[in-house]
Every structure is written in C-alpha cells, then in structure tokens.
Amino acid sequence: MPFAVYVLGLAVFAQGTSEFMLSGLVSAIAADLDVSLSAAGLLTSAFAVGMVLGAPLMALFSRTWPRRRALLLFLAVFIAVHIVGALTPGYGVLLAARFVGALANAGFWAVALAAAVSMVPDGLRGRATAVVVGGVTIACVVGVPAGAVLGERWGWRAAFWAVAVVSLPALWAITRSVPGGVPGDRGRDRDRGRGGGTAPVADARGTASAGQGPETAPAPARTPAPIPVRDELRLLLTAPHLLPTLLTMALVQGATFCAFSYLEPLLTRTTGLTITWVPVALALFGAGAFLGVGAAGRYAERRPTAFIAYGMAALALGWSALALTAGRPLAALALIPLLGMLAFGTGTALITRVLGLAGRSSTLAGAFGTSAFNLGAAVGPWAGGVLLEAGGGYRSPVWVSAALMALALLTEGARRLRRVRSRERASGSTAG
C-alpha cells in the first residue's frame, strides 16, 4: 500500500476527531460562551450540514485541480478554522468556523477517496478505501475520548488546538507523498504514489529528464481531458445502481449514528451501568469499527454483494438484539463491538461500490458518498431523538436503527432485483 494512502488516513483521523468530539464538549462550550445547550448543539448540526452540502460543491470547485493542490488547500483551511475557533470569544464566529471547517473536510474527503483508489491497482481499491475510512474509526477510539479529556482538564479550546496540531504532519506529508497529477491519470498516480515521484519524466520534446537519450525516452504521458461538469453529472445520475447504493449508504449510516448518539443514556438508564463505563463502551464500539473496516478492505473485493447483504442483515438483527437485551450489562457490552464492526465494515464496502460504479467520475462519486454518509449521520440521530422525546424510552433509538436497517435491506433487494431483470432483458435481446 503506498505511503500516501496512510497519510490521507492520518488527515481523516484529525478531521473525524473534530467532527465527533463536540459530544463531550457541549456543556463546556455553552458555559464559556454563555449560550444554551441547544445552541451549543447547533455546532454539531452546522458541521453535518456543511458536510452534506460541501462534498459535491467542493468536488465541483476543485475537480480540475491537481489532487495534491486540492488536498493541501482543503487541509490548510481546516487547520486555519480550528485555530480561529480556539481563539474566538464569540459564538457566532465559532458557528461559522464549524461550517467552513465542514466544507473543507467534505472537499478533502471527496478528493482523498478518489486519490487513494487511483494510487493502487483495482484489486486493492477496497483496502485503500479502508485505510482512509479507518481514520474515522481510529478517531472514535482515540481522538474523541482524548478530546473529551483535554476539554475536561484544559478547556474545550485545547481540543481545537490539538486537532490543528495533529493535522500539521499530514499537511507536510501530503506535499512529499501524494502525486501532483490531475484527476484521471491513474497510471502515473500509482507509480508516483509508491515511489514518491522519482521516476524520469519526459519533457515536451520527448527527452527524458534523468539523462536518457532520445532513443530510449518514454513518450509523454497523456492526461485524459476532464469530463465537462454537465456530462459528469449525467454519467453519475444515470450510472446503473449508483443512486440506490447512495440511499442504502445513508440508511446504514443513519442506523449507526442513531444508536451511537444515544448510547450513553441507554447504558446508564436502561442497562444500569455507571457513567465510568460509557468511555469503555465507546472504545469497544470504535475497536469493533476498526476491525470492520479492516475486514472490508480484505474481503469485500472478493464477493462485495454478499458481503454487503450479509452485513446489513446482521445489523438489522444486531440492533434488534441490543434493544431487547439492553437491560443485561454483559449482553449489551458484548453486542456493542460486534455492531461497530458490522456497521463500519458494511459502510466501507458500500463506499467502495460507489467509487467502482462511478468510473472516471470518481471525485464527484466520492463527494456524493460523503454527502450520503453525513446525511445519514444527521437524519438518524434526529429520528431517534423524535421518538425519544415522544416518550418511546431509551431503547427507542435502537429500535429506530433496526427499522432503518430493514429499509436498507429493502432498497438493496430492489436494486438486486432490477439488476437481475436488466440482465434478463439484455440476454433476451441478444438471443433475439
């Protein structure tokens, strides 16, 4: 695996920490800035909205840029807004900083996913995607709890400073390892992503710059002309099975983050565990998520359809089992890492499918995948909260997760049925 792919995973780790760390800092922010808890909670909503809107917009904005330049710009803006957030005395500036930071994060995600798969052979696309997505799972295990500890000891601003500092090594490493080619030049990306860009490059006359004679010089590499935006969007919107896959991804992520967002009240008020067990449970979920991403990277390429289908079915059963056994501490603690593994393993396989369906429109596909991911992350907790406020009890968000997985299974089943019917029509027309 090229070193550059791991660099992208490091940057995603910092960004994932920023996205989720406010869950442990809301009270401190509200007290320091003299706003209500609900207003402080809007900082998380602003980030989610920025991710949903920003992914396609930033991908369109940077689609013809060299990927290294786009990654550096997005990461530099992300670092800058965290410095602003750590220094600002006002809530309004912090809210704006969260939204702008989400736009930068969304743009980075879209370009990073496309860049990662462009630097590896087709057989390693799933593993490259897993490394990038794995940055989020490590953020859940390490970054989010660490941000909570920093906020408790030195104030919430320390967590913002930490995210900026952790992002700096990735900024430097991207300049050294990520190829500078434009999107679409997969061959050169693979070569330079492995070796750091030391291969001889031919000049405009065809003469190699590393001292080769004209008779041995390689021909200048031709970069495919970028697809016009309208045509690229048309390719994406008409790509078979892409929109159903995006819908399925949003439902799977909605189920994941619905239950995850209300895990603390479930454990402390239904399971009967003390508050000290909550970080342990979160770490167990994150550890399972890390294992799931690794499993998807290794095995999802072999039988992707079966991997996704079995994963979703197991998630529907798993969330139902957690809702039924939430009153038993051992059962709940055993299910939590298993559900983390299934959720992120299935989600990673779905992202890989999206990138595979997109073809040359991989950057925009990565953007749409990022939007679907965050749409689920925003809608799922909202749906669980509605049922909770209606008096459904602390198990109700978990039941919402099970229901969302049932819907995801229906959309995946409908997609597979349409695929079978299209194949039958194609074979029938060929036979005729």
Side-chain angles (χ1 to χ4, degrees), residues 58 275 336 414-415:
M58 294 300 102
I275 193 66
I336 284 170
R415 185 198 69 85

Side-chain angles (χ1 to χ4, degrees), residues 182-193:
V182 297
D185 199 359
R186 284 192 53 145
R188 292 178 65 184
D189 280 359
R190 282 198 298 267
D191 295 339
R192 298 187 65 193

